[in-house]
Amino acid sequence: MDTIILSQILITPLIGALIVLLLPDRRKLSAGIALTFSLVTFFFTLHLPAHFVYGQAGFQFVQDIPWISIPAIRYHLGVDGLSLWLVVLTGLLAPIGVLASWKTIQTRSKIYYSLFLVQQTAMLGVFLSLDLMLYYGFWELSLVPMAILIAMYGRGITENGGPKAALRFFLYTFIPSAPLLVAILWLYAKTGSFDFQFLQRSIDYGKLPAEALCWASVAFLIAFAVKVPVLGLHGWLPDTFSEAPVGMGMVVAGKLGLYSLIRFHVGLFPVQARQAAPWLIALAAVGILYGALLALVQKDFWKLLAYGTLSSLSFCTLGIYGFTLTGLDGSVFQTLNEGVIGAALFVLLGILYDRFGTSQIPTFGGLAQRTPMLVTLFVISSLAMIGLPMLNGFIGEFLVLSSTFTGVSRSWAAAATLGVILSAAYMLTLVQQVFYGPPSSAVSSNPIPNQLLDLNMREKLVLYSLATLMLVMGVFPNLWLSGIETAFIPAQPAAQVRHLEILQSPSSIPLKIQASLKGGQQ
């Protein structure tokens, strides 16, 4: 099972997409097949943490098969502590996305669910690929279903409309991929390989010219920074959040870009990444404040979520380019947090939009009396996003902020901490305006009975599961961190020197890793 599990994870949603295309276009049939195959995929992903060897550096469950001889492209897959939980998270969000789309997708469901499953395959391929050309194929594939689904199923609530928002998303994310491809091909021309580990060793030992490596690292950085997005490259985010179907919106930002920054920018170009770190740290700290301040003045809750997400994801960038083990652990954990919390908030806001047909915050008010379960789960998700202790958002923010304060800059840490306060301001203001205060005319005149206006069984299943996960991740973070930190334990002597050089402060190294290094263990 260990030798083929990664291929099973990749192929299962693709098979589901083909079956959906071959069968008649019936809404419940297409949704049922998509739900079945996404659940099977999620079940396969659970094999990874169950059989992962914690504390062991390097890639596990590896498949490395020759595919194309010229150029030398290999079907090379593997999982380490960095990608382990991101694969599981992608598997979890797929059935949640199907359930969130169950009633909202009324027409052309065959196209929607087939593209939805193709998108899942592409995202899983990005996290699993260890051959750069294979990775690039999945990276580009992930753009197409999202752009098509935004164009076809966009809510049409923004002034730009669904097709224009889809075009903006596609151009923003596709154009930077051209220099990325050029940089990958240059690495192949110099080394004769697309293999990530071989390229990493070649760069470590100084086999490639430093000036050209600098330009290659810039190409990698821009492509990934747009996908995060990093401040200044976020122009696609507000309209995409406003237009994307709920099932797709929860996966559009964060995970792919942040993973790629750690794996392929910092992992391949540590020297060049360190040179760019001061600029990226500044952009991250300013992005935390910028996103929070813009979220605070929004009247549309989709755009509030978009700018709040920009602020939260900037914490991850701050942790990555602080170059401390604690910060890197915190950034990966915060990426997982954003996946879980963002999914819950997308579902909750999608419910409000479906019930009332508007995303304008001033049209709500006094909803708590009519929807007690909805408001309870909305408050829990909001507190998790703010970073309340005992919930998962606190762990990621604390790790990033503490590592920034002790190992990077107290000034930037103070600015980021102010962003936490602002996040409390905009999320609690949203809760107050939507659920409390005097009922608005739209709420009081809504003819839907209270029992139908509140959560139904399908929505309860999704949201209670996510709320439970927020609590478990907040109370028992080591269940995740014990795997994550193995990604940053060097597995080879050359890599050990490289990794230790980028650490700014030994005090930022977790105690058990310090003990391992002092004992000479790998």
Side-chain angles (χ1 to χ4, degrees):
M1 187 72 172
D2 285 354
T3 59
I4 62 171
I5 184 61
L6 299 186
S7 290
Q8 288 178 309
I9 291 172
L10 272 181
I11 293 172
T12 300
L14 195 58
I15 294 174
L18 292 174
I19 293 176
V20 169
L21 284 175
L22 293 174
L23 292 177
D25 190 359
R26 297 172 184 168
R27 182 174 63 85
K28 290 187 177 180
L29 177 62
S30 299
I33 294 171
L35 180 61
T36 299
F37 277 87
S38 60
L39 285 172
V40 172
T41 304
F42 177 52
F43 172 76
F44 284 149
T45 65
L46 294 178
H47 178 90
L48 303 182
H51 296 82
F52 190 82
V53 181
Y54 295 90
Q56 175 181 311
F59 293 96
Q60 302 179 32
F61 311 103
V62 175
Q63 286 183 263
D64 189 5
I65 303 170
W67 182 21
I68 300 174
S69 56
I70 301 177
I73 304 175
R74 303 181 69 85
Y75 180 74
H76 190 185
L77 308 176
V79 168
D80 66 350
L82 173 58
S83 54
L84 171 66
W85 291 110
L86 290 169
V87 172
V88 177
L89 176 64
T90 305
L92 171 66
L93 294 182
I96 289 175
V98 174
L99 290 172
S101 308
W102 198 268
K103 286 190 175 180
T104 57
I105 303 301
Q106 298 289 340
T107 60
R108 297 175 293 186
S109 58
K110 181 177 181 175
I111 298 174
Y112 176 86
Y113 287 109
S114 59
L115 289 174
F116 181 93
L117 292 171
V118 170
Q119 174 76 12
Q120 187 188 15
T121 297
M123 291 184 64
L124 290 167
V126 168
F127 295 135
L128 296 175
S129 297
L130 296 179
D131 181 281
L132 258 64
M133 189 52 68
L134 183 65
Y135 162 84
Y136 183 80
F138 284 119
W139 175 266
E140 290 295 280
L141 179 61
S142 69
L143 308 180
V144 178
M146 180 65 72
I148 294 174
L149 290 175
I150 293 172
M152 293 180 63
Y153 302 91
R155 284 178 286 267
I157 61 176
T158 69
E159 60 183 9
N160 292 320
K164 289 185 178 179
L167 181 61
R168 174 177 290 190
F169 166 78
F170 184 79
L171 291 178
Y172 257 91
T173 51
F174 178 75
I175 291 175
S177 297
L180 173 63
L181 177 60
V182 172
I184 291 173
L185 293 176
W186 176 80
L187 289 173
Y188 176 78
K190 292 295 183 180
T191 63
S193 175
F194 290 113
D195 183 78
F196 167 72
Q197 292 171 297
F198 180 83
L199 291 171
Q200 194 176 46
R201 289 193 297 269
S202 298
I203 295 172
D204 282 344
Y205 288 111
K207 295 183 178 180
L208 299 178
E211 184 177 352
L213 275 178
C214 180
W215 287 108
S217 72
V218 170
F220 275 67
L221 174 61
I222 293 175
F224 303 151
V226 169
K227 191 68 173 177
V228 172
V230 172
L231 178 66
L233 301 172
H234 65 283
W236 59 271
L237 189 64
D239 288 338
T240 301
F241 268 47
S242 297
E243 293 291 340
V246 169
M248 301 300 291
M250 64 179 65
V251 302
V252 70
K255 292 175 286 297
L256 296 183
L258 291 167
Y259 165 83
S260 299
L261 282 176
I262 300 173
R263 172 76 77 218
F264 296 108
H265 186 238
V266 175
L268 279 180
F269 310 101
V271 175
Q272 291 75 21
R274 189 175 179 84
Q275 292 170 348
W279 298 99
L280 289 165
I281 289 171
L283 284 173
V286 175
I288 292 170
L289 297 175
Y290 175 85
L293 288 171
L294 282 182
L296 194 58
V297 299
Q298 295 303 312
K299 301 300 182 183
D300 183 293
F301 57 54
W302 292 119
K303 291 191 175 180
L304 182 149
L305 182 59
Y307 288 114
T309 299
L310 172 64
S311 180
S312 297
L313 292 175
S314 296
F315 275 100
C316 303
T317 308
L318 183 62
I320 292 170
Y321 289 95
F323 286 102
T324 65
L325 283 175
T326 302
L328 288 165
D329 288 346
S331 66
V332 178
F333 195 84
Q334 185 69 2
T335 304
L336 300 176
N337 293 340
E338 283 304 308
V340 174
I341 300 169
L345 288 173
F346 254 102
V347 172
L348 288 161
L349 295 178
I351 291 170
L352 289 175
Y353 182 78
D354 291 339
R355 302 287 201 272
F356 295 94
T358 180
S359 60
Q360 295 301 306
I361 299 171
T363 61
F364 294 91
L367 196 56
Q369 296 179 355
R370 301 190 64 184
T371 58
M373 287 184 290
L374 177 61
V375 67
T376 299
L377 288 163
F378 202 103
V379 169
I380 293 173
S381 301
S382 299
L383 293 176
M385 186 169 184
I386 293 168
L388 185 74
M390 301 293 289
L391 294 174
N392 58 343
F394 172 76
I395 303 299
E397 289 181 355
F398 175 78
L399 291 174
V400 171
L401 289 173
S402 62
S403 65
T404 303
F405 186 84
T406 59
V408 181
S409 167
R410 295 185 178 184
S411 299
W412 291 130
T417 304
L418 179 59
V420 176
I421 299 172
L422 291 173
S423 70
Y426 66 73
M427 288 306 300
L428 295 179
T429 300
L430 175 64
V431 171
Q432 192 277 331
Q433 291 181 337
V434 172
F435 293 102
Y436 297 99
S440 67
S441 58
V443 172
S444 57
S445 62
N446 192 301
I448 302 176
N450 288 354
Q451 63 270 24
L452 298 180
L453 198 62
D454 209 353
L455 301 179
N456 58 39
M457 188 58 65
R458 171 178 51 83
E459 293 160 348
K460 289 178 187 177
L461 176 63
V462 170
L463 292 169
Y464 277 116
S465 300
L466 290 173
T468 302
L469 186 56
M470 294 175 204
L471 180 61
V472 174
M473 292 179 71
V475 176
F476 304 105
N478 282 336
L479 294 176
W480 286 263
L481 291 172
S482 59
I484 292 171
E485 65 184 15
T486 62
F488 309 113
I489 301 175
Q492 297 177 9
Q496 182 173 1
V497 173
R498 181 170 60 90
H499 278 263
L500 291 179
E501 284 178 347
I502 67 174
L503 296 176
Q504 289 189 333
S505 172
S507 63
S508 68
I509 306 176
L511 292 178
K512 65 180 180 180
I513 298 181
Q514 289 190 51
S516 176
L517 292 176
K518 289 177 181 178
Q521 302 173 12
Q522 297 297 321

